[in-house]
Amino acid sequence: MNPHSHTPPPPLSPVLIAALRERFGERFSQGDSVRLQHGRDESVHVPMLPDGVVFALSTEEVAAAVRLCHQHNTPVIPYGTGSSVEGHVLAPRGGISIDLAGMNRVCHIHAEDLTATVEAGVTRTQLNTELKGTGLFFPIDPGADASLGGMTATRASGTNAVRYGTMKENVLQLTVVLPDGQVIKTGTRARKSSAGYDLTRLFVGSEGTLGIVTELTVRLYPVPEAISAAVCAFLSVDEAVNCVIQTIQLGVPVARVELLDAVTMGAINRFSKTDYPESPTLFFEFHGSEAGVAEQAETVQALAAEHGGQNFQWAARPEDRTRLWQARHDAYFACLQMQPGCRAFPTDVCVPISRLAECIHATNEDIAQVGLKVALFGHVGDGNFHLVVLVDPDSEQDMAAAEWLNERVVGRAIDMEGTCTGEHGIGLGKQKFLVPEHGQGAVDLMRVIKRAIDPANLMNPGKILPPA
Amino acid sequence: MNPHSHTPPPPLSPVLIAALRERFGERFSQGDSVRLQHGRDESVHVPMLPDGVVFALSTEEVAAAVRLCHQHNTPVIPYGTGSSVEGHVLAPRGGISIDLAGMNRVCHIHAEDLTATVEAGVTRTQLNTELKGTGLFFPIDPGADASLGGMTATRASGTNAVRYGTMKENVLQLTVVLPDGQVIKTGTRARKSSAGYDLTRLFVGSEGTLGIVTELTVRLYPVPEAISAAVCAFLSVDEAVNCVIQTIQLGVPVARVELLDAVTMGAINRFSKTDYPESPTLFFEFHGSEAGVAEQAETVQALAAEHGGQNFQWAARPEDRTRLWQARHDAYFACLQMQPGCRAFPTDVCVPISRLAECIHATNEDIAQVGLKVALFGHVGDGNFHLVVLVDPDSEQDMAAAEWLNERVVGRAIDMEGTCTGEHGIGLGKQKFLVPEHGQGAVDLMRVIKRAIDPANLMNPGKILPPA
């Protein structure tokens, strides 16, 4: 089956339908609304519906569904919360979407080892809720309340990655259903290992194209003794970014440092009923001992002042911090509200930190050229930033302008030794950038791996790898 | 070619010999001493000699040698400093050893991005020497002054991993020569990426069985404003380990915490002319601001006191710290000197930190049963420890006793959800533990990957994967 063919996928085999009905009863659905819900994501990708959806409740059920699909040469697409933005959950070749949201058990919290083992449908906030009282937390926080399985699949990160790393650094073990329905475990609960190929890291970021992650063990961290957050407005994006670059270069172990441009700040003020200055702004968070946090804050405040930062506003009380970071996490939805009826065309890139100011500066010149509302914000401590381009998806002109902007931004990031996506993944949307970023040889090697593990090309076909 | 076959490898093709001579002149050698030097490592593995050695000076030369070997169906074994201990550089099927020691250029230091790009033959101390004056350092430090290519291949770590991670976390980019001689690049200089399969992590720890790493970009860290080291003796290994467990669980960002048992301390005193108490001892190092280091030290000193730690000895002056850590790094060689004429049978395991005291305690009971001198030390902050078993390699009894001990220790680590090797790798020595640790399905998947990337099985054949 060619995932990139334009011929419509063959209809689902009646034998497969009957088998899935028998195995899953009402937890197998071919209803239109269920299929639509599972055939679109949070971005502008035109929905592509699966032929049916299985609501799985265990690794064994996922394995059973995958085995049946394998027998009937039918594509399988894993589905968590549908919060991805590059078309990851769409079904360009039809097939069965396996919804893992019901697999939401926190299996073990090993507080003494700072690890938790969870089913793939557990979301990041659910895990943190269940960790209350243990003195531990799980730091990785993409904007949406994504599932940990989905976050594994896209190698997600978020605001804390500058201090705590991404899913790549924080997943210790996986349970994976392979394309033929076989179940394997990768990794151990030890903090490190040199025992053979790093299968865990091969599945982290593989977007469901090599197998389906059904369970994972993640690292946890002690809740810091002291936490302090601050907001600081700048006169220009350049000044704000240069403040961040110096912070990182000095090795200040900042826990979070987020840039939000003036457009984003306006959107946040309206959406979250806040009254921040509507100019380029940094949100900071510091973790450590009381003295350590005070020291970090002092250093960063001095750096901010050097770069013209205006009145550092502190949020030391937990409720103020929660409000601040909720506003940050809602930035994507806040931006969407700026233009009722529009959709978001999101993109993200990541560059070496020394190029960040230049990269954002040039991006703003590009933004000035497109006649669209664009918000820029991101995890600048990692060199990672996002654009949310507001478009009418029915307008060819809007879509062409957004696409032009995307290509400019991504092309520049790659030229600067960066990446076409810091944390969203490739999905359908960024395939054309894979060869420019990695070179033909490396992409061919990815294809060799895909073909070896999934020779029938049934696992989320058409994602990551561009048409050969 | 079956790498596990017991038939001797076929002789090197005269056409290949002529081609290598023509291409590399005197940098291709078939001399006995050169072959012996490249066919053995630092441990008890019986040497297995390659048929010839190429001393390569560039990625292009490595690619040329690999291409020639590929054409003549001849195995290729990469060689760095020969400091691995599980038989990684041995040539069970003959072939060509490619010595990368001459590829020792530090290509770029991007101080502003905290990255360095180096050729694979650069050693960790060479890199740190070249970083002097930049305010940055590279933290990963296996005992030997290994090459960064070799450290990549074995997913090495060392004393700083508890704070700074292992090669897995610190390699950003690789240049790799594939089995057919094609050169690819993996990764970017951005701190994170979600762009496709994580080829970088696939090659990190692959021990030369998928390709040869010729160049890499690593992360660097600012030299901390303050560094302080300390030595503290304990009445028992249990007490020492429990002190470490609490340190980690409290989230103290200790930079190094090493356990050395009484045997090791005795060996160190004799080798390094030190006069430490010869009882179980922890070596600590703290990194941070002046105040931060003082605070960490205070916390840990209090924990040590609770566990009966005796007179914390501080080493705040750089030269004292250097002496302390040099003594630690020389532990392996110090142990070898305990019994002149013996060889070391080394092993290492890693377990979840909560099981560490129990694991080491039971290991000591095993050690009491074998009539051999055994030193126990390691990176206990990661749950990782080493045994150095002194043996007469010609004594069947010694070898059998060491093997029994190894199997006991590794079996226990796996039972405790740990790994058969925290940082040494699989090589020849630990293949039999791969299935017990990962399960047949996961090992079969490793085999699928190996076969897809290296279908002729020419890249370091016979390593990592056990006989099918």
Side-chain angles (χ1 to χ4, degrees):
Chain A
M1 185 189 302
N2 174 3
H4 298 286
S5 119
H6 293 289
T7 56
L12 222 51
S13 143
V15 183
L16 174 59
I17 293 174
L20 289 169
R21 277 223 182 101
E22 196 191 321
R23 182 71 173 78
F24 296 99
E26 296 207 336
R27 289 191 285 109
F28 169 60
S29 169
Q30 292 194 281
D32 284 346
S33 66
V34 167
R35 289 169 53 229
L36 177 59
Q37 185 213 336
H38 288 80
R40 68 177 175 199
D41 68 9
E42 289 287 350
S43 76
V44 286
H45 289 285
V46 179
M48 298 175 177
L49 277 50
D51 297 303
V53 179
V54 165
F55 295 85
L57 297 179
S58 68
T59 296
E60 293 64 39
E61 287 198 353
V62 173
V66 169
R67 207 153 34 229
L68 284 170
C69 288
H70 184 252
Q71 283 161 14
H72 292 87
N73 206 35
T74 298
V76 173
I77 305 109
Y79 187 97
T81 63
S83 57
S84 56
V85 292
E86 291 293 357
H88 299 86
V89 298
L90 276 54
R93 299 296 299 154
I96 299 298
S97 174
I98 301 187
D99 187 317
L100 300 145
M103 292 182 61
N104 60 0
R105 282 189 322 127
V106 173
C107 309
H108 300 286
I109 295 173
H110 289 283
E112 67 291 5
D113 289 320
L114 294 84
T115 71
T117 302
V118 301
E119 289 183 333
V122 170
T123 69
R124 63 178 180 84
T125 60
Q126 184 196 341
L127 175 57
N128 277 317
T129 302
E130 302 215 16
L131 287 171
K132 287 230 167 85
T134 64
L136 301 174
F137 78 113
F138 176 70
I140 306 178
D141 63 339
D145 187 21
S147 69
L148 292 168
M151 287 166 63
T152 302
T154 54
R155 205 180 291 127
S157 46
T159 64
N160 283 301
V162 63
R163 168 77 169 259
Y164 297 95
T166 73
M167 288 303 276
K168 172 162 71 70
E169 285 84 13
N170 285 290
V171 173
L172 287 170
Q173 280 188 307
L174 295 174
T175 301
V176 181
V177 175
L178 295 180
D180 62 357
Q182 198 192 159
V183 178
I184 63 164
K185 297 206 175 203
T186 73
T188 72
R189 283 211 308 114
R191 278 168 64 125
K192 65 184 194 185
S193 169
S194 289
Y197 302 153
D198 191 347
L199 297 180
T200 305
R201 245 52 56 186
L202 182 61
F203 285 104
V204 172
S206 66
E207 304 185 7
T209 63
L210 302 176
I212 300 183
V213 171
T214 59
E215 208 176 288
L216 61 151
T217 300
V218 293
R219 289 181 68 165
L220 306 174
Y221 295 83
V223 174
E225 179 193 329
I227 302 178
S228 186
V231 172
C232 183
F234 288 77
L235 295 175
S236 73
V237 169
D238 285 14
E239 293 275 42
V241 172
N242 283 323
C243 173
V244 173
I245 292 176
Q246 274 198 278
T247 303
I248 298 301
Q249 288 172 350
L250 276 177
V252 180
V254 60
R256 292 166 149 167
V257 53
E258 297 286 308
L259 169 73
L260 302 97
D261 76 351
V263 174
T264 312
M265 291 308 292
I268 282 183
N269 276 343
R270 277 177 284 292
F271 186 84
S272 301
K273 316 268 180 280
T274 47
D275 57 355
Y276 295 118
E278 297 188 8
S279 56
T281 299
L282 293 178
F283 284 19
F284 289 101
E285 192 164 277
F286 307 102
H287 293 178
S289 64
E290 293 287 353
V293 162
E295 198 172 40
Q296 291 174 49
E298 200 179 317
T299 307
V300 171
Q301 198 159 357
L303 287 176
E306 277 175 39
H307 292 281
Q310 315 284 310
N311 55 16
F312 238 73
Q313 274 190 314
W314 291 98
R317 288 188 311 168
E319 57 271 32
D320 293 340
R321 284 205 314 275
T322 303
R323 214 165 69 102
L324 187 162
W325 291 110
Q326 192 58 50
R328 168 62 189 87
H329 280 124
D330 289 337
Y332 184 84
F333 303 101
C335 292
L336 266 176
Q337 299 299 316
M338 288 190 294
Q339 208 160 286
C342 72
R343 297 275 290 172
F345 185 121
T347 190
D348 90 303
V349 295
C350 189
V351 296
I353 193 99
S354 69
R355 311 299 298 272
L356 185 61
E358 183 189 353
C359 188
I360 290 182
H361 188 86
T363 299
N364 276 323
E365 290 178 349
D366 291 339
I367 290 173
Q369 287 189 50
V370 297
L372 296 172
K373 195 103 180 158
V374 182
L376 186 157
F377 54 90
H379 318 309
V380 281
D382 287 321
N384 179 210
F385 68 93
H386 300 243
L387 298 185
V388 175
V389 187
L390 296 186
V391 292
D392 169 0
D394 296 327
S395 156
E396 272 181 39
Q397 199 189 335
D398 277 17
M399 290 301 287
E403 201 50 72
W404 175 84
L405 182 58
N406 192 28
E407 289 188 16
R408 292 279 293 180
V409 173
V410 167
R412 183 178 299 117
I414 293 172
D415 287 346
M416 290 179 166
E417 299 184 82
T419 176
C420 67
T421 173
E423 57 181 18
H424 289 171
I426 297 293
L428 289 171
K430 288 205 161 156
Q431 293 180 10
K432 63 182 155 191
F433 306 120
L434 212 58
V435 171
E437 177 169 330
H438 295 290
Q440 188 65 53
V443 173
D444 286 346
L445 183 62
M446 293 185 198
R447 225 183 279 281
V448 163
I449 293 166
K450 164 73 172 173
R451 218 167 325 171
I453 297 178
D454 180 25
N457 190 21
L458 297 177
M459 305 311 281
N460 210 0
K463 309 300 163 60
I464 296 186
L465 291 162
Chain B
M1 186 190 301
N2 174 4
H4 299 286
S5 120
H6 292 289
T7 56
L12 221 51
S13 143
V15 184
L16 175 58
I17 294 173
L20 289 170
R21 279 223 181 99
E22 195 191 321
R23 181 72 172 78
F24 296 99
E26 296 206 337
R27 289 191 287 106
F28 169 60
S29 170
Q30 291 194 281
D32 284 347
S33 66
V34 168
R35 289 168 53 227
L36 177 59
Q37 185 211 337
H38 289 80
R40 66 176 175 201
D41 68 9
E42 289 286 352
S43 76
V44 285
H45 290 283
V46 179
M48 298 175 176
L49 277 49
D51 297 303
V53 179
V54 165
F55 295 86
L57 296 179
S58 67
T59 296
E60 293 63 39
E61 287 198 351
V62 174
V66 169
R67 207 154 33 232
L68 284 169
C69 288
H70 185 251
Q71 283 161 14
H72 293 87
N73 205 36
T74 298
V76 173
I77 305 109
Y79 187 96
T81 64
S83 57
S84 57
V85 290
E86 291 294 356
H88 298 87
V89 298
L90 276 55
R93 300 294 300 152
I96 299 297
S97 174
I98 300 187
D99 187 317
L100 299 145
M103 292 182 61
N104 59 359
R105 283 190 320 128
V106 173
C107 310
H108 300 287
I109 296 172
H110 289 283
E112 68 293 3
D113 289 321
L114 295 84
T115 70
T117 302
V118 301
E119 289 184 333
V122 170
T123 70
R124 63 177 182 86
T125 60
Q126 185 197 341
L127 175 57
N128 278 317
T129 302
E130 300 216 18
L131 287 171
K132 287 231 166 85
T134 63
L136 302 173
F137 78 112
F138 176 69
I140 306 179
D141 63 337
D145 187 20
S147 69
L148 292 168
M151 287 166 62
T152 303
T154 55
R155 203 180 294 127
S157 45
T159 64
N160 283 302
V162 63
R163 168 78 169 259
Y164 297 94
T166 72
M167 289 302 276
K168 171 162 72 69
E169 285 84 13
N170 285 290
V171 173
L172 287 171
Q173 282 187 307
L174 295 174
T175 300
V176 181
V177 176
L178 295 181
D180 62 358
Q182 197 193 158
V183 179
I184 63 164
K185 296 205 174 204
T186 73
T188 72
R189 283 210 308 115
R191 277 169 64 124
K192 64 185 194 184
S193 168
S194 287
Y197 302 153
D198 191 346
L199 297 180
T200 306
R201 246 51 57 186
L202 182 62
F203 286 103
V204 172
S206 66
E207 304 185 9
T209 64
L210 301 176
I212 300 183
V213 171
T214 58
E215 206 176 290
L216 61 151
T217 301
V218 294
R219 290 180 66 163
L220 306 173
Y221 296 84
V223 174
E225 180 193 329
I227 302 178
S228 186
V231 172
C232 183
F234 288 78
L235 295 174
S236 72
V237 169
D238 285 14
E239 293 275 41
V241 172
N242 284 322
C243 172
V244 173
I245 292 175
Q246 274 197 280
T247 303
I248 298 300
Q249 287 172 352
L250 277 178
V252 180
V254 60
R256 293 166 148 169
V257 52
E258 297 286 307
L259 170 72
L260 302 97
D261 76 351
V263 174
T264 312
M265 291 308 292
I268 281 183
N269 276 342
R270 275 176 284 291
F271 186 85
S272 301
K273 315 271 180 277
T274 47
D275 58 355
Y276 295 118
E278 296 188 8
S279 55
T281 299
L282 294 178
F283 284 19
F284 290 99
E285 192 165 275
F286 307 101
H287 292 180
S289 64
E290 293 288 353
V293 162
E295 197 172 42
Q296 291 175 47
E298 201 180 315
T299 306
V300 171
Q301 197 160 358
L303 286 175
E306 278 175 36
H307 292 281
Q310 315 283 309
N311 55 13
F312 237 73
Q313 275 189 312
W314 291 97
R317 290 188 308 169
E319 56 271 33
D320 293 341
R321 284 206 315 274
T322 302
R323 215 166 69 101
L324 188 162
W325 292 110
Q326 191 58 50
R328 167 62 189 89
H329 280 125
D330 289 338
Y332 184 84
F333 304 101
C335 292
L336 266 176
Q337 299 299 318
M338 289 190 295
Q339 209 161 285
C342 72
R343 295 276 290 173
F345 184 121
T347 189
D348 89 302
V349 296
C350 188
V351 297
I353 193 99
S354 69
R355 310 299 299 272
L356 185 61
E358 182 188 353
C359 188
I360 291 183
H361 188 87
T363 298
N364 276 323
E365 290 178 349
D366 291 339
I367 290 173
Q369 286 189 51
V370 296
L372 297 172
K373 196 105 179 157
V374 182
L376 185 156
F377 54 90
H379 319 307
V380 281
D382 287 321
N384 179 209
F385 68 93
H386 301 243
L387 299 185
V388 175
V389 188
L390 296 186
V391 293
D392 168 1
D394 296 328
S395 156
E396 272 181 40
Q397 200 189 336
D398 277 16
M399 289 302 287
E403 201 49 73
W404 175 84
L405 182 58
N406 192 27
E407 289 188 16
R408 292 279 293 179
V409 172
V410 168
R412 183 178 300 117
I414 293 172
D415 288 346
M416 290 179 167
E417 299 183 81
T419 176
C420 67
T421 172
E423 55 182 18
H424 289 172
I426 297 294
L428 290 170
K430 288 207 161 156
Q431 293 180 9
K432 63 182 156 192
F433 305 120
L434 211 58
V435 171
E437 177 171 331
H438 295 289
Q440 189 65 51
V443 174
D444 286 346
L445 184 62
M446 292 184 198
R447 226 182 278 281
V448 163
I449 292 166
K450 165 73 172 172
R451 219 170 315 167
I453 297 178
D454 180 25
N457 190 21
L458 297 177
M459 305 309 282
N460 209 358
K463 309 299 164 60
I464 296 186
L465 292 162

